[in-house]
């Protein structure tokens, strides 16, 4: 009997707020292919607090559409605004075969990122030790090579322009102060701006 393929979960969206009276929910998308992900019948695992009535449950897409350029989703068993309000702020995850090569461009699983070297200006400055998924964005948690502690790197293209799991690294172009202390400026040295 063939072994089951290894599976992981991919975060694809967050339910922002109820929309209208028929159970629709506005989505914040974390996928480059929403029309392919949110097809009728697609099932998502929910990340919600343990106190939520949705804890440990899944939802099934009934309909996905664009309203005024905003993505909106309808789920089975959520028929009205009151029901939609109970699931707002949930993060949606989907099972994904880790050997699936048809992964979206610019989308990586956590296990593909953890352990990668962090390169800045051609030099190794740290290693990714985990990925934190926040509602606003993902953070790469980096252990610096020259010290203790952790550096939280926003996982956005402006700061992490290159991700190359095959080569074993990511390239970062961080703003000043993210990886080093900025020199303090003495108040007396501040330039005065002429008044109008």
């Amino acid at each position: 009997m063939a072994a089951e393929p290894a599976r992981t979960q991919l975060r694809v969206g967050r339910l922002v707020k109820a929309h209208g009276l028929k159970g629709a929910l506005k989505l914040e998308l974390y996928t480059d292919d929403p029309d392919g992900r949110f097809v009728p019948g697609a099932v998502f695992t929910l990340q919600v607090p343990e106190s939520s009535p949705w804890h440990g449950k899944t939802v099934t897409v009934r309909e996905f559409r664009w309203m005024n350029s905003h993505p909106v989703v309808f789920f089975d068993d959520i028929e009205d605004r009151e029901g939609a309000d109970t699931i707002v702020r949930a993060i949606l995850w989907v099972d994904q075969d880790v050997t699936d090569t048809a992964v979206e461009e610019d989308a990586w699983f956590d296990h593909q990122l953890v352990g990668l070297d962090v390169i800045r200006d051609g030099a190794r400055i740290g290693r990714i030790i985990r990925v934190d998924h926040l509602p606003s964005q993902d953070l790469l948690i980096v252990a610096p090579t020259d010290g203790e502690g952790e550096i939280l790197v926003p996982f956005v293209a402006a700061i992490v322009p290159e991700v190359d799991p095959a080569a074993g690294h990511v390239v970062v172009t961080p703003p000043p102060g993210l990886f080093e202390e900025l020199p303090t400026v003495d108040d007396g040295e501040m330039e005065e701006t002429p008044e109008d």
Side-chain angles (χ1 to χ4, degrees):
M1 187 170 142
E4 285 285 315
R7 300 190 78 74
T8 189
Q9 289 208 311
L10 188 65
R11 187 178 67 142
V12 294
R14 184 172 72 96
L15 303 174
V16 179
K17 64 179 183 177
H19 180 79
L21 303 175
K22 297 183 179 178
L25 287 137
K26 279 192 176 179
L27 270 170
E28 178 182 355
L29 296 172
Y30 305 139
T31 173
D32 293 332
D33 182 23
D35 295 296
R37 285 283 182 203
F38 292 92
V39 295
V43 177
F44 298 101
T45 303
L46 297 168
Q47 179 183 331
V48 293
E50 287 187 19
S51 58
S52 168
W54 291 97
H55 186 259
K57 296 184 180 178
T58 60
V59 288
T60 303
V61 175
R62 184 170 74 239
E63 183 182 351
F64 174 79
R65 64 170 87 148
W66 296 87
M67 294 182 168
N68 298 328
S69 77
H70 292 290
V72 174
V73 66
F74 295 82
F75 294 115
D76 289 347
D77 303 321
I78 299 179
E79 306 294 340
D80 55 27
R81 188 179 189 95
E82 186 177 328
D85 281 334
T86 66
I87 198 172
V88 167
R89 291 190 293 281
I91 295 176
L92 304 174
W93 295 79
V94 65
D95 282 330
Q96 182 80 32
D97 184 343
V98 298
T99 60
D100 187 354
T101 55
V103 174
E104 299 162 28
E105 186 178 346
D106 296 333
W108 295 272
F109 299 115
D110 291 3
H111 73 271
Q112 293 175 296
L113 299 169
V114 172
L116 296 183
D117 288 334
V118 179
I119 307 296
R120 178 186 190 185
D121 298 327
R124 180 180 179 273
I125 59 169
R127 184 175 56 85
I128 298 171
I129 55 174
R130 74 174 189 276
V131 182
D132 285 354
H133 301 283
L134 305 181
S136 56
Q137 67 189 5
D138 293 338
L139 292 174
L140 300 179
I141 312 304
V142 175
T145 55
D146 60 352
E148 297 179 7
E150 299 175 345
I151 298 169
L152 311 182
V153 180
F155 193 20
V156 294
I159 298 174
V160 189
E162 182 183 329
V163 178
D164 192 343
H169 69 255
V170 300
V171 173
V172 295
T173 54
L178 186 61
F179 280 88
E180 66 281 313
E181 292 289 326
L182 289 175
T184 55
V185 176
D186 187 359
D187 288 343
E189 296 176 9
M190 301 224 8
E191 291 183 22
E192 291 186 18
T193 54
E195 295 181 7
D196 290 335

